[in-house]
């Protein structure tokens, strides 16, 4: 369905296909391989196409990323436009490919994909980091996630966010855990082996060094609890 929607969008405006450098494609792996071939290089495009063809679970995760980004972002064009134009979705797709290689034990390929996609999308997401389905990475620019980062389902993160470690915490579990439905505003720094509870809101520019309870808001350069969470992008009808 998504492939048909992309073909319809491009048929309505052939110049878009020319601007994006898209040729013909038959299915979803072909489409994403072609897209990454133009945004990164032909070799990356081939790896992306192969990974999406051989790893059905990341196709499902990506389809949910795209659908949720379209739902939360209020931009025209729906999922087809999100796939073609959303830097955050594309950066997440690149990470999902790198993560699949990492899980398969091909750490060199994983790091190479991470490096190529990082240059293309201005992100730095370690291939071992875990990202659940329904991820909305708005704008995408300057997002950093360390090796032991774990992001749950339906999380929303804005640009210039760092999920990093601290000099005081350099062990095997040294990066944040972000639970389902949490929201992290632009420029926030979440550092160390802290947990951001389900549905919590982290204000733009906050510096978070301690756990944040589920459903709470924290703001400020020394983040402090200011009450119940005020924003949620969860789909209440689906209960997710």
């Amino acid at each position: 369905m998504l492939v048909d929607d992309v073909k319809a969008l491009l048929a309505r405006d052939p110049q878009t296909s020319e601007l994006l450098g898209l040729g013909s494609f038959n299915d979803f792996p072909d489409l994403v391989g072609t897209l990454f071939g133009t945004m990164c290089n032909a070799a990356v495009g081939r790896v992306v196409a192969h990974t999406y063809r051989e790893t059905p679970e990341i196709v499902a995760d990506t389809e949910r990323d795209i659908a949720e980004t379209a739902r939360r972002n209020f931009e025209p064009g729906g999922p087809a436009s999100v796939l073609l134009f959303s830097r955050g979705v594309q950066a997440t797709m690149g990470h999902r490919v790198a993560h699949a290689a990492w899980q398969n034990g091909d750490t060199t390929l994983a790091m190479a994909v991470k490096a190529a996609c990082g240059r293309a999308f201005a992100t730095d997401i370690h291939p071992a980091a875990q990202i659940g389905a329904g991820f909305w990475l708005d704008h995408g620019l300057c997002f950093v996630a360390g090796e032991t980062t774990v992001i749950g389902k339906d999380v929303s993160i804005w640009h210039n966010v760092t999920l990093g470690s601290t000099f005081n915490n350099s062990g095997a579990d040294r990066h944040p855990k972000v639970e389902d439905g949490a929201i992290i505003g632009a420029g926030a720094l979440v550092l160390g082996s802290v947990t951001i509870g389900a549905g919590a809101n982290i204000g733009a520019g906050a510096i978070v060094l301690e756990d944040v309870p589920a459903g709470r808001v924290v703001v400020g350069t020394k983040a402090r609890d200011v009450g119940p969470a005020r924003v949620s992008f969860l789909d209440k009808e689906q209960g997710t």
Side-chain angles (χ1 to χ4, degrees):
M1 184 67 172
L2 181 56
V3 173
D4 291 338
D5 290 343
V6 171
K7 287 182 176 180
L9 184 154
L10 297 177
R12 291 192 299 270
D13 188 354
Q15 188 177 28
T16 298
S17 181
E18 182 180 359
L19 287 170
L20 296 179
L22 292 176
S24 60
F25 49 86
N26 298 315
D27 56 16
F28 192 73
D30 278 348
L31 170 55
V32 297
T34 300
L35 190 62
F36 274 76
T38 63
M39 293 185 298
C40 298
N41 59 54
V44 173
R46 289 192 292 271
V47 171
V48 169
H50 175 78
T51 303
Y52 271 86
R53 194 171 301 283
E54 298 297 321
T55 320
E57 57 267 30
I58 73 167
V59 176
D61 287 348
T62 295
E63 288 176 340
R64 184 165 175 83
D65 295 339
I66 292 168
E68 284 298 298
T69 297
R71 185 177 70 83
R72 299 178 213 171
N73 206 28
F74 311 117
E75 289 187 358
S81 288
V82 166
L83 173 59
L84 294 179
F85 308 135
S86 172
R87 176 187 292 265
V89 160
Q90 293 159 358
T92 304
M93 292 171 67
H95 169 70
R96 295 200 186 283
V97 171
H99 185 67
W102 187 273
Q103 288 185 307
N104 288 335
D106 196 341
T107 57
T108 301
L109 175 63
M111 294 300 287
V113 171
K114 174 244 189 189
C117 291
R119 289 194 295 267
F121 306 120
T123 56
D124 193 356
I125 310 172
H126 195 283
Q130 301 174 49
I131 300 179
F135 185 47
W136 178 24
L137 181 58
D138 197 23
H139 305 298
L141 288 163
C142 302
F143 174 59
V144 176
E147 179 179 3
T148 63
T149 298
V150 178
I151 298 173
K153 295 179 180 179
D154 299 315
V155 168
S156 302
I157 295 180
W158 266 251
H159 55 287
N160 202 34
V161 165
T162 296
L163 304 178
S165 62
T166 70
F167 288 117
N168 295 323
N169 185 270
S170 58
D173 185 19
R174 61 191 182 279
H175 295 105
K177 310 298 178 278
V178 183
E179 296 184 345
D180 296 354
I183 297 170
I184 303 179
L189 302 177
V190 185
L191 304 177
S193 182
V194 299
T195 297
I196 307 303
N201 294 172
I202 309 301
I207 299 176
V208 181
L209 303 174
E210 299 177 350
D211 291 350
V212 177
R216 305 298 293 181
V217 174
V218 297
V219 301
T221 53
K222 187 177 187 309
R224 62 190 187 281
D225 192 320
V226 295
R230 303 166 193 172
V231 181
S232 174
F233 291 105
L234 300 183
D235 189 337
K236 295 181 176 59
E237 292 184 358
Q238 294 181 356
T240 59

